[in-house]
Amino acid sequence: DRFPESLRRSSIMTKKKNVLMRSAGLLLALVLVTSCFVGSTFAKYVTSGDAADNARVAKWGVSITAHATGDVFAKEYDAIAGQDNTVIAGGEYKVIAPGTKKDNATLVTLSGKPEVSVQVTYNAEHFSLTGNWIGDASNTFYCPLIIKVTGKVGDAVKTETINCVEKTSAAEVETAVKNAVAACSATYGPNTDLSTVAGDGLKISWEWPFEGTANPGQTDAKDTYLGNQAATATGTDVPAIHIPVTATVTQID
């Protein structure tokens, strides 16, 4: 060999160092290139913002005023037009008699301006005829009243007329009145002032005609017999009519 062993080893080590330095230089270059990509080429648009909202509970504020004493019946009536009151109760109770009537009596009134849609419904589950409603000695049921229930049914205000003289029992009259009242229902959108829609509300009318010709099946004899029942009966046997009505206002979807 021309070169001593020591020189050969020195040459090999020098080559290895050169390789390592080249490798390190290449790695540094790659790092710099990668840094360039990360720092600029891969940059993106970024926009940020804050959002918030607030709400309060929607107003309800609905009020139902029930006419506890009502204006359906009275203690005095002008049964004959143009004259002073010809029917005057002799005690603490209100009365009805031939020739007396009441048109479009309101039992409940609504108020409030709810911020939600609502439905107004009615029921007369406790309507009743109590006592001896009879027109002759055979104890045959007899009620000479004509009852009208007016209210909004669907999209229109309608009136259901119940000729009680055509019914065969107090239960039949009660069922007819209850069904007529329950059929009345009205819906209103948000922010409707309920005090301004009284025209849609439930109204009760009744009449005891003075002459039977206006109410086929009614006679003077039967009216007189019924009146005598009121004069002679006591306690729960006294013929009486009760018209309580409940109104309910409910939020709807």
Side-chain angles (χ1 to χ4, degrees), residues 66-103:
H67 299 232
T69 56
D71 62 354
V72 182
F73 306 111
K75 295 184 66 175
E76 299 183 10
Y77 299 91
D78 178 9
I80 301 177
Q83 297 188 17
D84 293 335
N85 288 339
T86 57
V87 176
I88 301 176
E92 60 178 311
Y93 296 104
K94 298 176 180 181
V95 295
I96 56 176
T100 60
K101 66 178 182 177
K102 177 66 179 183
D103 293 324

Side-chain angles (χ1 to χ4, degrees), residues 136-215:
D136 55 43
S138 64
N139 292 329
T140 302
F141 174 77
Y142 175 71
C143 178
L145 300 180
I146 299 174
I147 299 174
K148 296 181 179 181
V149 177
T150 301
K152 195 169 186 180
V153 180
D155 296 327
V157 175
K158 299 181 180 181
T159 297
E160 178 77 15
T161 300
I162 299 144
N163 293 315
C164 300
V165 76
E166 299 175 353
K167 308 300 181 183
T168 60
S169 67
E172 276 193 44
V173 175
E174 292 167 1
T175 298
V177 172
K178 291 175 183 179
N179 289 344
V181 171
C184 297
S185 174
T187 58
Y188 304 103
N191 295 302
T192 299
D193 186 348
L194 298 181
S195 66
T196 66
V197 292
D200 295 343
L202 179 72
K203 296 176 180 63
I204 303 288
S205 301
W206 64 270
E207 180 181 7
W208 186 341
F210 192 71
E211 298 289 344
T213 54
N215 188 24

Side-chain angles (χ1 to χ4, degrees), residues 11-169:
S11 176
I12 294 172
M13 291 180 66
T14 299
K15 290 179 180 180
K16 288 182 178 181
K17 287 181 180 180
N18 290 337
V19 171
L20 289 174
M21 290 184 68
R22 288 173 184 170
S23 297
L26 178 61
L27 181 59
L28 177 60
L30 290 173
V31 169
L32 291 175
V33 171
T34 302
S35 297
C36 179
F37 282 132
V38 172
S40 60
T41 305
F42 292 157
K44 56 185 176 296
Y45 295 125
V46 177
T47 301
S48 64
D50 296 325
D53 203 356
N54 298 283
R56 61 168 172 76
V57 173
K59 294 179 181 179
W60 182 243
V62 174
S63 178
I64 300 176
T65 302
H67 299 232
T69 56
D71 62 354
V72 182
F73 306 111
K75 295 184 66 175
E76 299 183 10
Y77 299 91
D78 178 9
I80 301 177
Q83 297 188 17
D84 293 335
N85 288 339
T86 57
V87 176
I88 301 176
E92 60 178 311
Y93 296 104
K94 298 176 180 181
V95 295
I96 56 176
T100 60
K101 66 178 182 177
K102 177 66 179 183
D103 293 324
N104 295 321
T106 301
L107 281 78
V108 294
T109 54
L110 308 177
S111 62
K113 195 175 181 181
E115 294 180 327
V116 295
S117 296
V118 299
Q119 180 180 35
V120 182
T121 56
Y122 303 89
N123 79 70
E125 287 303 308
H126 300 291
F127 171 88
S128 63
L129 295 177
T130 59
N132 297 330
W133 286 86
I134 53 180
D136 55 43
S138 64
N139 292 329
T140 302
F141 174 77
Y142 175 71
C143 178
L145 300 180
I146 299 174
I147 299 174
K148 296 181 179 181
V149 177
T150 301
K152 195 169 186 180
V153 180
D155 296 327
V157 175
K158 299 181 180 181
T159 297
E160 178 77 15
T161 300
I162 299 144
N163 293 315
C164 300
V165 76
E166 299 175 353
K167 308 300 181 183
T168 60
S169 67

